[in-house]
C-alpha cells in the first residue's frame, strides 16, 4: 500500500505508457518484422526473406514515381507554405486595418480536412466546369488550366491544394513569432540607422529561427504522411501519376495483398521522417526544460 | 509553538553536495533568519524543513520529535513563498480556507477562522477578490493569512519580501516582526538581505557555500563576526579591510604608496589573540567607526576625501589614507567636501582582526 | 511630399497583395457554397445558363442539394445521405477527444510537476509518437483490433484515436504546466492537498487555455481523419470523411456536383465553427508553446 502511494504519480502514467508502448513502439517493431516476411493478405511468420521486400519496392516503377513525386511535393509544399506564410505574416504585421478578418480568411482552411480540400479543388480544377471554363466564359478563350488531367502536371495540383490548406497555419506561426520580438531591439536598430528592409533581413528574420524550425518540421511531417489529399483530389491518378509513398503503402497493403511490401514501404517512410525530426526532438528536449 | 533542531543535515543533488552537515538549534518562539548570498542553499534547507525536499543525511527535529521522513501535511508547518503561490482560481477567502478545507474542518468553523485571520491582517475587504486583482502587498498579506489560519507549530518564509517595492518592504518587515511578537510563533525566515536579517531576527545563521558560517544573535554576528565573509556580508556599506603586518605590537598597513604618504599605523584592538611580530594580518574597520570628532580611545588620522555619496541623514565618504581606500559613514552635518583633506578619528575599540589566508577571526572568543 | 506619395503607394501595394491573397483563400469556399446552392442545369451550363460559371452566384437559389446530401444521397449501397455518418463522427469525437485530453492532462501534470528519474526519457518517447507516419502502424493495428474483437466498431476507432492522440495532448499539457510555478504545487502540499487534489482543485481551474488548445486540436484531427476511418471502420460505423469521399467518388449515374459540394460543406461546417468560436484562443495557446524555441 505504501509502495503504491509513494509511486502514485508514476502509476498514473502507466495506462498511457502501455498504450503508446504497444501502439507506437510495438507496432513499429511488428511492421518491421512483417516487412521481412512473405506476408501477403495476412501476416505470416513462417517464411523469412530478409530485405528482399525492400529491393522489390525499390525496383517497382510505381515506387519510383512515388519517390519522385514526394521529392517534388515535399520541396514545393514546404517551400511554398514557408514563403506564402512568411510573406503574409510580414504584410499583416504592418498595422493593417481589418487584420482580424484577413487572418481568419487565411486561416480557415486549417480547420478543413484534406478530404474537403481535395473535393473542393478537384471541382475548381476540373477543366470542363471549373476555373478554366469560367475564364473562357468570361472571354479569355485561350486560357488553359487542365493540369489535373495531365500526368506530368497533376502533382502540382496536389502542391497547390496542399499549400492552400497549410499556408495560413505557417502564417499564424510567423505572426506570433513576429509579435514576440522585443520591440526595443528594433528601436535600437532604427536608432543605429538601419532601414526597414535591413531591419527585416538582419534582425527580424534571424529572430524567427525557432518558428522556421517548427514550421519545417510540422510541414515536413504532414507532407510525408499526407494521404487523404491525394485520394480526394486525384485518387493517385491520372493512372498513378500522383502516387506518393503513402498511397503506395495503402494500395499494396490493402488492395493488392502485398502486405510485406506495404510494410517495407511504411518502414522507409518512418526512416525518412526520423531523419527529419530526431534533431528537432533533441533540441526541443534540451531547451524545453 | 515548538523548538527546532537541525542536526548535521546534508543535501546532495546527484553528485554535487549543496549542503554540508548543517546544524542549527533554536528555541520555541525564536525568529531564525537564514541569510546568505543567492545559491548558498537557504531555500534547499527550508524546503527540507517543510518536507518538500528529502534529506541526504542528518536529522530534523521539531519539539524533540523527528520530522524528516514525514509528509509535509503531517508536519503541521506553514510556509509563505517568494511568489506567494496563491491559488489563482480561488478567491482570497477560499485561498485562506484551503488548508482548513484539506484538513476536513466544517464550513462554519472555516468561516470563523478565516474571519479571525482577515481581521488580524486587515484584509477583510479583499475576501471576495481573486489574487490577480490584488497588489503585491495585498497578496503578501493573503499568503500570510493562509499560513496563519491553521495555527502551525512552525512558520517558514522564503524571501517573502523580495518581490515588493522598497517602501512596502520596510512596512511589511515591521508588520511581520510585530506579528511574531504578538503571536510568539517560531519562525524560520530566508533572505539574502542582511538588513532584513538584522532587523527581524532573534537568531541569525549566516550561510555561504552550503555551510553555516556563523550562528548567533544579531549583535553577536555584527560585533563579533566569526570570519571575513560574515564581517563583510553583514553591514552596509561593507566593512573596510586593510592588509598589513604586526610591528612593535601595532598594526602597520602595507601598500606601495605607504612610504611616500606616510604609513598608516594603528594600535591593535583589545581582545586580539597574541600575534607574532611581523605576521601578516587583515584589519576590519566598519565605516561607522570613522568620525570627525575624537572620542575615548580613538586614533586620529589624515585622509583625502575623494567622493561623497549623500543618503539623506548620512553620507558615505570614499577616503584615501596612506595609500589605502576606506569608506566612512558620517553624519551629513559633518561638513566634509570632495577633493579636500580631512582630519578624522578612528574608534579602534570594536575593530576586528582576520587571518588574511583563511579569513578566520583572530579575536579571542 | 514625394516621401508621402511613396508611402501611400507602398501601403496600397500591401493592401492589394493582402486582398488578392484573401481572394485566393476564399476561392474554394465560394465555389463550394455557390455550387451547393445551384441546380444541376445551372452548374453544367444547360439551356438558359450559358454564361454561368463555377464562380457566378446562383441565379436560382435551391437548398435541395443540402437536403439530398444530408438524408438521401447514395453512398455505396445505401441511399440515406450523410446523416448517419455524421452522428458516427460525433460519437467518435466525443469519446476520443474526452479520453485523450483527460489522459494527456494527467500525463502533463506528472511529467512537469512530479519529476522522477527517467521522466524526460519517457516524455521523449511519448513525443516521438507525435511524429510517426501512421502508415507504420496500420497493419498491426488492424490485427490487434481483430484480436480484441473491435474490428469495424466505433469503440475500436476510439481506441485508435486515443492511442495516437495521447502524445499530442501530453505535449500540450506538459508544456503548459512547466510554465506554472512549482511553488503552487509546494503550497498545495504544505496545505495538506494530495496528488489528485492539487491537480483537480488547484491546476485544472487555471488550465482552461490549454484545454481549449487540446480539445480543438483533437476535435479537428479526429473529425478530419480519413486514414484510420478508411482502414478500421465497418460499413455502419464509417465516419463522415470516409462517407464524403465515397459520396464524391461514387461512379454510378451522373455526378451531382451540387450534392457533392453540399456534402463537403456539411463535413466542413463543424470544424469551421469551432475555429471561428475558439480559434483565437487556440492559436494563442498553440503558438506560445510551439514557438518558444
Ligand atoms: N533540484 C535541484 N537540482 C540540482 N541542483 C539544485 C536543485 N535545487 C537547488 N540546486 C542547487 O543547490 C544550490 C542551492 O540552491 P538554493 O537552496 O535554491 O539557494 P538559495 O535559496 O540560497 O539561493 C544552488 O547551487 C542550486 O543550483
Ligand atoms: Mg532561494
Amino acid at each position: 500500500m505504501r509502495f503504491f502511494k509513494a509511486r502514485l504519480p508514476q502509476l498514473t502514467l502507466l495506462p498511457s505508457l502501455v498504450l503508446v508502448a504497444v501502439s507506437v513502439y510495438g507496432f513499429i517493431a511488428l511492421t518491421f518484422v512483417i516487412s521481412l516476411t512473405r506476408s501477403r493478405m495476412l501476416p505470416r511468420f513462417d517464411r523469412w526473406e530478409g530485405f528482399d521486400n525492400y529491393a522489390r519496392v525499390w525496383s517497382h516503377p510505381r515506387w519510383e514515381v512515388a519517390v519522385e513525386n514526394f521529392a517534388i511535393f515535399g520541396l514545393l509544399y514546404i517551400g511554398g507554405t514557408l514563403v506564402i506564410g512568411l510573406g503574409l505574416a510580414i504584410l499583416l504585421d504592418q498595422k493593417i486595418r481589418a487584420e482580424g478578418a484577413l487572418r481568419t480568411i487565411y486561416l480557415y482552411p486549417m480547420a478543413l480536412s484534406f478530404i474537403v480540400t481535395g473535393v473542393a479543388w478537384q471541382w475548381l480544377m476540373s477543366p470542363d466546369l471549373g476555373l478554366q471554363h469560367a475564364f473562357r466564359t468570361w472571354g479569355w478563350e485561350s486560357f488553359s488550366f487542365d493540369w489535373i488531367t495531365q500526368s506530368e502536371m497533376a502533382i502540382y495540383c496536389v502542391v497547390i491544394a496542399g499549400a492552400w490548406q497549410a499556408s495560413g497555419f505557417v502564417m499564424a506561426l510567423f505572426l506570433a513569432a513576429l509579435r514576440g520580438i522585443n520591440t526595443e531591439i528594433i528601436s535600437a536598430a532604427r536608432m543605429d540607422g538601419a532601414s526597414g528592409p535591413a531591419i527585416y533581413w538582419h534582425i527580424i528574420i534571424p529572430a524567427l529561427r525557432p518558428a522556421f524550425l517548427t514550421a519545417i518540421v510540422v510541414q515536413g511531417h504532414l507532407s510525408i504522411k499526407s494521404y487523404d489529399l491525394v485520394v480526394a483530389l486525384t485518387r493517385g491518378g491520372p493512372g498513378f501519376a500522383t502516387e506518393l509513398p503513402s498511397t503506395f503503402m495503402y494500395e499494396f497493403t490493402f488492395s493488392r495483398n502485398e502486405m510485406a511490401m506495404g510494410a517495407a514501404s511504411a518502414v522507409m517512410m518512418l526512416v525518412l521522417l526520423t531523419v527529419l525530426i530526431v534533431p528537432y526532438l533533441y533540441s526541443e528536449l534540451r531547451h524545453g526544460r | 509553538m515548538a523548538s527546532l533542531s537541525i542536526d548535521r543535515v546534508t543535501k546532495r543533488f546527484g553528485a554535487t553536495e549543496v549542503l554540508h552537515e548543517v546544524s542549527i538549534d533554536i528555541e520555541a518562539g525564536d525568529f531564525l533568519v537564514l541569510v546568505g548570498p543567492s545559491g548558498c542553499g537557504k531555500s534547499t534547507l527550508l524546503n527540507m524543513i517543510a518536507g518538500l525536499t528529502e534529506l541526504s543525511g542528518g536529522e530534523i527535529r521539531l519539539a524533540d520529535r523527528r520530522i524528516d521522513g514525514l509528509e509535509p501535511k503531517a508536519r503541521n508547518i506553514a510556509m509563505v513563498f517568494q511568489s506567494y503561490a496563491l491559488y489563482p482560481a480561488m478567491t482570497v477567502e477560499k485561498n485562506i480556507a484551503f488548508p482548513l478545507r484539506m484538513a476536513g474542518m466544517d464550513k462554519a468553523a472555516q468561516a470563523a477562522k478565516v474571519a479571525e485571520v482577515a481581521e488580524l491582517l486587515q484584509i477583510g475587504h479583499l475576501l471576495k477578490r481573486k489574487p490577480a486583482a490584488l497588489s503585491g502587498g495585498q497578496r503578501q498579506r493573503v499568503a500570510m493569512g493562509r499560513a496563519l489560519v491553521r495555527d502551525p507549530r512552525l512558520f517558514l518564509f522564503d524571501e517573502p519580501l523580495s518581490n515588493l517595492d522598497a517602501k512596502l518592504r520596510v512596512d511589511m518587515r515591521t508588520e511581520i516582526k510585530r506579528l511574531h511578537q504578538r503571536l510568539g510563533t517560531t519562525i524560520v525566515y530566508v533572505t539574502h538581505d542582511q538588513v532584513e536579517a538584522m532587523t527581524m531576527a532573534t537568531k541569525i545563521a549566516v550561510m555561504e557555500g552550503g555551510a553555516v558560517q556563523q550562528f548567533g544573535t544579531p549583535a553577536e554576528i555584527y560585533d563579533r563576526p566569526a570570519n571575513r565573509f560574515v564581517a563583510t556580508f553583514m553591514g552596509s556599506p561593507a566593512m573596510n579591510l586593510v592588509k598589513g603586518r604586526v610591528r612593535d605590537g601595532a598594526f602597520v598597513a602595507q601598500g606601495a604608496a605607504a612610504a611616500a604618504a606616510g604609513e598608516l599605523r594603528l594600535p591593535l584592538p583589545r581582545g586580539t589573540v597574541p600575534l607574532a611580530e611581523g605576521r601578516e594580518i587583515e584589519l576590519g574597520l566598519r565605516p561607522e567607526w570613522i568620525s570627525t570628532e575624537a572620542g575615548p580611545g580613538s586614533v586620529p588620522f589624515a585622509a583625502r576625501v575623494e567622493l561623497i555619496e549623500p543618503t539623506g541623514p548620512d553620507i558615505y565618504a570614499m577616503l584615501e589614507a596612506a595609500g589605502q581606500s576606506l569608506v566612512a559613514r558620517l553624519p551629513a552635518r559633518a561638513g566634509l567636501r570632495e577633493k579636500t583633506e580631512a582630519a578624522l578619528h578612528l574608534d579602534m575599540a570594536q575593530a576586528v582582526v582576520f587571518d588574511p589566508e583563511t579569513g578566520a577571526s583572530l579575536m579571542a572568543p | 511630399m514625394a516621401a508621402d506619395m511613396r508611402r501611400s503607394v507602398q501601403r496600397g501595394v500591401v493592401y492589394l497583395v493582402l486582398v488578392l491573397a484573401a481572394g485566393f483563400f476564399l476561392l474554394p469556399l465560394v465555389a463550394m457554397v455557390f455550387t451547393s446552392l445551384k441546380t444541376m442545369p445551372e452548374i453544367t451550363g444547360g439551356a438558359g445558363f450559358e454564361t454561368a460559371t463555377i464562380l457566378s452566384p446562383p441565379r436560382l437559389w435551391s437548398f435541395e442539394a443540402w437536403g439530398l446530401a444530408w438524408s438521401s444521397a447514395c453512398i455505396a449501397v445505401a441511399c440515406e445521405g450523410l446523416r448517419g455518418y455524421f452522428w458516427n463522427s460525433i460519437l467518435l469525437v466525443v469519446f476520443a477527444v474526452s479520453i485523450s485530453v483527460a489522459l494527456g492532462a494527467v500525463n502533463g501534470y506528472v511529467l512537469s510537476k512530479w519529476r522522477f528519474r527517467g521522466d524526460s526519457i519517457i516524455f521523449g518517447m511519448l513525443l516521438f509518437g507525435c511524429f510517426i507516419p501512421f502508415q507504420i502502424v496500420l497493419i498491426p493495428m488492424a490485427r490487434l483490433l481483430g484480436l480484441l474483437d473491435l474490428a469495424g466498431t466505433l469503440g475500436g476507432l476510439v481506441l485508435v484515436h486515443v492511442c495516437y492522440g495521447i502524445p499530442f495532448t501530453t505535449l500540450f499539457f506538459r508544456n503548459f504546466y512547466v510554465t506554472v510555478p512549482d511553488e503552487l504545487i509546494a503550497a498545495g502540499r504544505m496545505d495538506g492537498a494530495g496528488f489528485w487534489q492539487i491537480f483537480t482543485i488547484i491546476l485544472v481551474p487555471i488550465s482552461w487555455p490549454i484545454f481549449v488548445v487540446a480539445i480543438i486540436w483533437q476535435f479537428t484531427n479526429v473529425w478530419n481523419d480519413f486514414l484510420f476511418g478508411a482502414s478500421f471502420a465497418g460499413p455502419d460505423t464509417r465516419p463522415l470523411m470516409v462517407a464524403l469521399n465515397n459520396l464524391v467518388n461514387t461512379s454510378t449515374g451522373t455526378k451531382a456536383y451540387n450534392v457533392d459540394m453540399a456534402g463537403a460543406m456539411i463535413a466542413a461546417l463543424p470544424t469551421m465553427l469551432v475555429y471561428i468560436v475558439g480559434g483565437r484562443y487556440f492559436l494563442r495557446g498553440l503558438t506560445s508553446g510551439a514557438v518558444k524555441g
Side-chain angles (χ1 to χ4, degrees), chain A residues 190-208:
Chain A
R190 200 158 276 146
M191 300 294 288
D192 293 342
S195 66
I199 289 174
Y200 268 100
W201 191 248
H202 292 294
I203 296 176
I204 296 183
I205 294 191
L208 298 181

Side-chain angles (χ1 to χ4, degrees), chain B residues 38-39 42-44 82 158-159 190:
Chain B
S38 171
K42 308 177 297 282
S43 297
T44 305
Q82 180 172 0
D158 191 352
E159 313 225 7
V190 163

Side-chain angles (χ1 to χ4, degrees), chain A:
Chain A
M1 200 53 219
R2 265 187 77 90
F3 176 89
F4 287 110
K5 228 172 155 177
R7 282 166 188 72
L8 184 60
Q10 286 99 309
L11 286 174
T12 54
L13 280 182
L14 210 57
S16 304
L17 282 184
V18 170
L19 284 183
V20 171
V22 171
S23 70
V24 175
Y25 296 92
F27 285 4
I28 288 174
L30 247 174
T31 302
F32 178 65
V33 169
I34 289 172
S35 76
L36 305 177
T37 66
R38 194 159 194 185
S39 308
R40 294 182 69 94
M41 204 163 100
L42 291 172
R44 40 187 288 195
F45 304 103
D46 49 355
R47 282 283 288 278
W48 298 92
E49 306 208 312
F51 287 87
D52 285 2
N53 287 309
Y54 292 82
R56 242 174 249 153
V57 169
W58 276 105
S59 61
H60 202 285
R62 285 185 69 153
W63 180 254
E64 204 175 298
V65 175
V67 170
E68 194 178 308
N69 278 337
F70 172 68
I72 297 173
F73 174 68
L75 280 178
L76 291 182
Y77 171 79
I78 298 174
T81 51
L82 282 182
V83 169
I84 299 173
L86 180 60
L88 289 178
I90 290 178
L91 293 183
L92 265 191
D93 199 28
Q94 311 294 322
K95 306 198 172 57
I96 293 298
R97 235 172 289 161
E99 185 201 313
L102 286 169
R103 223 176 31 205
T104 311
I105 291 173
Y106 301 153
L107 262 173
Y108 84 91
M110 187 185 160
L112 304 184
S113 80
F114 275 125
I115 297 294
V116 172
T117 301
V119 168
W121 277 99
Q122 184 191 48
W123 177 225
L124 272 174
M125 289 173 171
S126 89
D128 298 340
L129 296 169
L131 284 176
Q132 174 174 307
H133 171 250
F135 276 97
R136 288 184 181 173
T137 310
W138 293 335
W140 186 352
E141 300 285 347
S142 62
F143 182 86
S144 166
F145 183 50
D146 56 357
W147 293 357
I148 203 163
T149 59
Q150 296 183 11
S151 296
E152 316 84 68
M153 300 306 286
I155 188 68
Y156 298 101
C157 294
V158 184
V159 173
I160 292 173
W164 173 82
Q165 162 129 18
S167 292
F169 170 72
V170 178
M171 179 225 51
L173 219 52
F174 280 126
L175 196 59
L178 282 173
R179 301 267 152 94
I181 294 176
N182 183 350
T183 49
E184 282 184 8
I185 298 175
I186 296 169
S187 306
R190 200 158 276 146
M191 300 294 288
D192 293 342
S195 66
I199 289 174
Y200 268 100
W201 191 248
H202 292 294
I203 296 176
I204 296 183
I205 294 191
L208 298 181
R209 232 184 81 104
F212 267 105
L213 198 68
T214 307
I216 290 173
V217 168
V218 171
Q219 299 304 331
H221 170 235
L222 276 177
S223 71
I224 291 174
K225 66 179 199 182
S226 77
Y227 166 75
D228 345 12
L229 183 59
V230 174
V231 168
L233 187 66
T234 65
R235 326 224 81 205
F240 51 89
T242 48
E243 184 92 283
L244 282 176
S246 55
T247 54
F248 179 97
M249 184 273 161
Y250 201 90
E251 167 87 11
F252 276 69
T253 306
F254 296 109
S255 311
R256 291 197 172 197
N257 296 331
E258 289 283 3
M259 184 175 280
M261 279 176 76
S265 64
V267 170
M268 286 184 288
M269 290 172 68
L270 178 72
V271 170
L272 192 61
L273 235 159
T274 310
V275 170
L276 177 75
I277 59 150
V278 161
Y280 173 75
L281 275 191
Y282 180 73
S283 74
E284 172 87 355
L285 280 180
R286 240 187 13 180
H287 299 299
R289 331 220 112 213

